[in-house]
Amino acid sequence: MPGSKQRSINKMAWEFIAQNRAGALATNDAAHLPHIALVYVVVHHDLSIYFTTRAEGRKYENLMRDPQVAMMFAGANSLQQLQLTGHVEQVTDLEAELDILHELMKLRYADKSLPRPQVNLLEPGVRKEYVIFKVTGDEMTYSDFETSQVGKYKPEFIKIM
């Protein structure tokens, strides 16, 4: 069944990102020059990826000007990677922002018991230091360059979307 195979591939991609939460995010500046930064992400089962950034930084300015991005996640101690191109949109729903921020804080501090942030930290209309973006992939590919045979090089590529 094609649906079952695609679900299996999507699950594999979700697990890979969930295990390798630091991703390289590439944006374009006003002169169309590339800018790359490391972001820590939360990934949902539908392969939506969320990250936070400072509202006054270069990454934020680039994303507000041009929502097209590229990302790459590398496997820890392996030759595996997941690459994607897509677009971002700023998350503006306060409850969704708090949920994502809470997930990111638990990951950042490796503490699943951290409380959810207080609403007054992110009041609408008040200057926000950080914003949350959602990445929606347009194209995603998993690559595995590992080989078990010395001298043999046969990479595996799996098109996810």
Side-chain angles (χ1 to χ4, degrees):
M1 286 188 332
S4 176
K5 182 177 180 182
Q6 187 61 48
R7 280 192 300 277
S8 176
I9 290 171
N10 287 1
K11 182 176 187 268
M12 182 270 306
W14 174 83
E15 287 173 349
F16 187 82
I17 296 170
Q19 292 170 4
N20 302 286
R21 294 196 184 265
L25 174 77
T27 62
N28 291 301
D29 69 13
H32 305 287
L33 296 172
H35 174 255
I36 192 160
L38 188 66
V39 293
Y40 291 92
V41 304
V42 167
V43 61
H44 288 175
H45 288 280
D46 66 355
L47 295 180
S48 295
I49 299 169
Y50 298 87
F51 66 91
T52 187
T53 190
R54 289 183 47 81
E56 297 169 346
R58 181 171 19 167
K59 192 175 349 152
Y60 174 80
E61 290 174 8
N62 290 349
L63 293 170
M64 295 307 290
R65 185 182 315 100
D66 180 356
Q68 296 301 119
V69 297
M71 292 189 82
M72 196 271 294
F73 297 90
N77 303 314
S78 74
L79 296 175
Q80 300 165 330
Q81 65 182 7
L82 188 136
Q83 298 176 10
L84 73 89
T85 56
H87 59 279
V88 298
E89 59 186 285
Q90 186 175 340
V91 176
T92 57
D93 175 78
L94 181 60
E95 289 301 312
E97 284 183 294
L98 290 170
D99 289 343
I100 298 298
L101 185 58
H102 190 214
E103 288 182 67
L104 286 165
M105 286 172 58
K106 289 189 295 186
L107 289 169
R108 166 65 178 88
Y109 297 105
D111 184 352
K112 296 194 183 306
S113 68
L114 276 176
R116 191 167 181 256
Q118 297 296 312
V119 173
N120 63 2
L121 294 177
L122 295 168
E123 290 291 332
V126 174
R127 181 178 160 267
K128 294 166 92 174
E129 219 175 299
Y130 291 92
V131 295
I132 297 179
F133 283 99
K134 174 185 176 183
V135 180
T136 301
D138 298 324
E139 185 174 291
M140 189 181 291
T141 304
Y142 169 82
S143 307
D144 187 347
F145 296 97
E146 302 253 346
T147 183
S148 59
Q149 297 176 328
V150 175
K152 300 286 183 183
Y153 182 72
K154 187 177 180 200
E156 175 185 15
F157 297 96
I158 300 173
K159 183 83 160 190
I160 295 159
M161 61 174 71

